[in-house]
Amino acid sequence: MAGLNQKSILDMIKEFRRNWHTLCNSERTTVCGADSMLLALQLSMAENNKQHSGEFTVSLSDIILTWKYFLHEKLNLPVENIKMIDHYEDIRKIYDDFLKNSNMLDLIDVYKKYSDLTSNCENYVNISPVRLLAKKIIYSYLNLLVNSKNDLALAHILNIPDRGLGREAFTDLKHAAREKQMSIFLVATSFIRTIELGGKGYAPSPSDPLRAHIKGLSNFINFIDKLDEILGEISNPSIAGGRILSVIKMQLTKGQNSRDPFYKAVEEVAQDLDLRIKNIINSQQGDVALSTTDISPARPKSHTINHGTAYCGRDTVKALLVLLDEEAASAPTKNKAELLYDDENTIHPNGTSVLTLFRRCKFFCWKTNNWNKFWKCSSGQK
């Protein structure tokens, strides 16, 4: 992260978590880090171009130019000497709607509420591309588990490992999501549940495009169900977190050679995250112990983590949220072109850039300490 060091950003996000009910509608709202902000801006600009010129595409130079203006404008910094791209207000609206419907807040939205932080630019950490990919995939599974409205997370993992859910499947899901004004994951879940109920009264229309993807969607939804079961059935958050990571790891490495770089990267990332979850839980338990008094405990707050979550799963969700917050506060990817346009993923054959996935959709429409260093560092400038 640039402009602020990671500890300051994490402190800010922790304060956001403590006061979430005054800032958003759900305790499961996830924070959109710098890389996800840039991806969301790319998609918003491509959609704007689609509406005005018919092409769902956008050049890297236009993104970088708009990114600079976008950051300054959001942070109320001077923009007089920065060129504003055409239809910027439309782009901002598409961006804001996307985050709102994905149940996300970006770092700047969180920052605006708590601006008395120090400013220090964090150095980039060099991580191999294959490890970065493994990390992104595992984090996306955890993100979707916590926040089922996160379409960005779903786009990263829908077809990893290979479920036969390529670009056509994603396009059909996105069309259905738009028509029903639902998240992509909820559309997929609803479709599979309807199929599983059986009977003529529940069967989807024979012309439903999702019928062509039943096997893959069933595989995907059933796998997420398995993670949800772990979340709800194992009361110990440390054990639950480890089990969730283990199941994801087995899914990603199944049938692969243990010498394969991706296999090794998945194992390393899963092991690292398991340790971090245990450290988070130990820290949380230590905080509880320090705050314990002889006074009788207060009644539980009415603002609980997702009223539909099984009671024993709430501590695990809280630990996963801390883990995701740490990732959102981490340094952004230095190579912006690789982040935004990596269509031919040589590391994982089923990986496709989010722009390519959304381009195939007929519609992409989701109805102040000085942070100027944020732009410089997050765009790779020194």
Side-chain angles (χ1 to χ4, degrees):
M1 194 64 189
L4 297 173
N5 60 40
Q6 187 179 21
K7 183 179 184 303
S8 295
I9 295 170
L10 283 172
D11 289 342
M12 174 185 72
I13 295 175
K14 288 177 182 177
E15 188 65 21
F16 158 71
R17 290 292 171 208
R18 285 192 287 268
N19 297 277
W20 72 268
H21 52 279
T22 65
L23 305 174
C24 58
N25 296 323
S26 168
E27 193 169 1
R28 285 198 180 203
T29 297
T30 44
V31 179
C32 186
D35 284 349
S36 293
M37 288 170 63
L38 189 57
L39 284 167
L41 182 64
Q42 178 194 34
L43 293 175
S44 302
M45 293 179 68
E47 167 59 16
N48 178 72
N49 289 342
K50 171 76 173 178
Q51 293 175 2
H52 290 91
S53 66
E55 291 294 328
F56 190 85
T57 185
V58 58
S59 69
L60 179 61
S61 59
D62 281 347
I63 296 172
I64 297 303
L65 179 65
T66 306
W67 179 235
K68 183 176 182 179
Y69 186 94
F70 170 80
L71 292 176
H72 279 69
E73 186 259 338
K74 285 204 71 167
L75 289 163
N76 299 317
L77 296 171
V79 295
E80 290 80 7
N81 298 323
I82 306 175
K83 182 180 178 181
M84 180 174 69
I85 197 168
D86 292 340
H87 309 294
Y88 175 75
E89 294 301 324
D90 294 336
I91 294 169
R92 270 299 307 272
K93 185 178 187 307
I94 295 171
Y95 174 91
D96 292 339
D97 287 347
F98 173 56
L99 260 63
K100 179 180 178 181
N101 290 306
S102 296
N103 193 27
M104 292 192 289
L105 284 176
D106 70 30
L107 279 176
I108 296 177
D109 291 331
V110 176
Y111 165 79
K112 283 180 177 179
K113 302 294 183 181
Y114 307 99
S115 59
D116 53 342
L117 301 173
T118 59
S119 178
N120 283 303
C121 186
E122 180 174 324
N123 295 324
Y124 290 99
V125 178
N126 291 321
I127 304 176
S128 68
V130 67
R131 187 179 173 93
L132 280 174
L133 175 64
K135 185 178 177 182
K136 179 175 71 174
I137 292 171
I138 294 177
Y139 267 108
S140 294
Y141 271 110
L142 298 178
N143 214 314
L144 189 66
L145 182 62
V146 170
N147 176 13
S148 62
K149 293 182 179 180
N150 193 329
D151 286 351
L152 271 181
L154 181 140
H156 286 311
I157 59 176
L158 183 64
N159 200 39
I160 298 181
D162 184 13
R163 301 183 175 95
L165 298 176
R167 300 176 186 177
E168 183 180 351
F170 187 85
T171 300
D172 292 339
L173 283 169
K174 187 63 198 138
H175 287 170
R178 178 188 175 275
E179 291 172 2
K180 298 178 181 180
Q181 296 185 337
M182 296 159 59
S183 71
I184 297 176
F185 180 75
L186 187 55
V187 164
T189 303
S190 176
F191 176 77
I192 293 303
R193 295 286 184 265
T194 302
I195 292 291
E196 291 174 345
L197 283 172
K200 294 182 179 179
Y202 296 100
S205 167
S207 61
D208 192 329
L210 297 184
R211 278 186 168 275
H213 316 298
I214 289 177
K215 183 177 180 180
L217 289 176
S218 179
N219 178 292
F220 180 67
I221 296 303
N222 288 335
F223 179 68
I224 302 299
D225 282 346
K226 184 184 296 185
L227 300 181
D228 258 324
E229 288 175 6
I230 297 171
L231 190 67
E233 294 178 0
I234 300 179
S235 58
N236 186 313
S238 181
I239 296 175
R243 186 72 60 81
I244 288 170
L245 289 170
S246 177
V247 170
I248 294 174
K249 181 184 73 174
M250 287 190 293
Q251 179 81 347
L252 295 178
T253 59
K254 184 178 180 181
Q256 292 197 17
N257 190 315
S258 60
R259 296 180 181 179
D260 184 85
F262 182 72
Y263 186 107
K264 292 181 178 179
V266 168
E267 282 206 323
E268 291 171 0
V269 172
Q271 185 177 10
D272 176 61
L273 296 186
D274 186 27
L275 179 60
R276 289 173 65 184
I277 288 175
K278 287 179 169 58
N279 289 337
I280 288 168
I281 293 167
N282 290 336
S283 176
Q284 290 174 336
Q285 292 173 342
D287 291 342
V288 171
L290 288 173
S291 63
T292 301
T293 67
D294 293 332
I295 302 174
S296 299
R299 291 184 178 182
K301 293 181 179 180
S302 59
H303 309 291
T304 56
I305 276 193
N306 193 329
H307 296 295
T309 301
Y311 178 79
C312 63
R314 290 175 183 154
D315 287 341
T316 306
V317 169
K318 289 178 181 178
L320 292 178
L321 278 169
V322 173
L323 187 70
L324 294 171
D325 289 345
E326 290 178 352
E327 177 61 14
S330 64
T333 299
K334 191 172 184 178
N335 189 329
K336 301 308 177 191
E338 184 177 283
L339 171 70
L340 299 172
Y341 292 100
D342 188 19
D343 289 342
E344 302 301 326
N345 195 320
T346 57
I347 300 172
H348 199 291
N350 301 312
T352 306
S353 75
V354 293
L355 181 68
T356 301
L357 288 176
F358 281 99
R359 179 187 291 128
R360 292 178 61 86
C361 298
K362 189 174 181 180
F363 297 98
F364 167 84
C365 187
W366 291 276
K367 296 207 191 252
T368 231
N369 188 12
N370 194 343
W371 257 33
N372 56 3
K373 290 184 181 179
F374 183 96
W375 150 249
K376 293 181 180 179
C377 294
S378 62
S379 62
Q381 297 183 11
K382 297 298 182 182

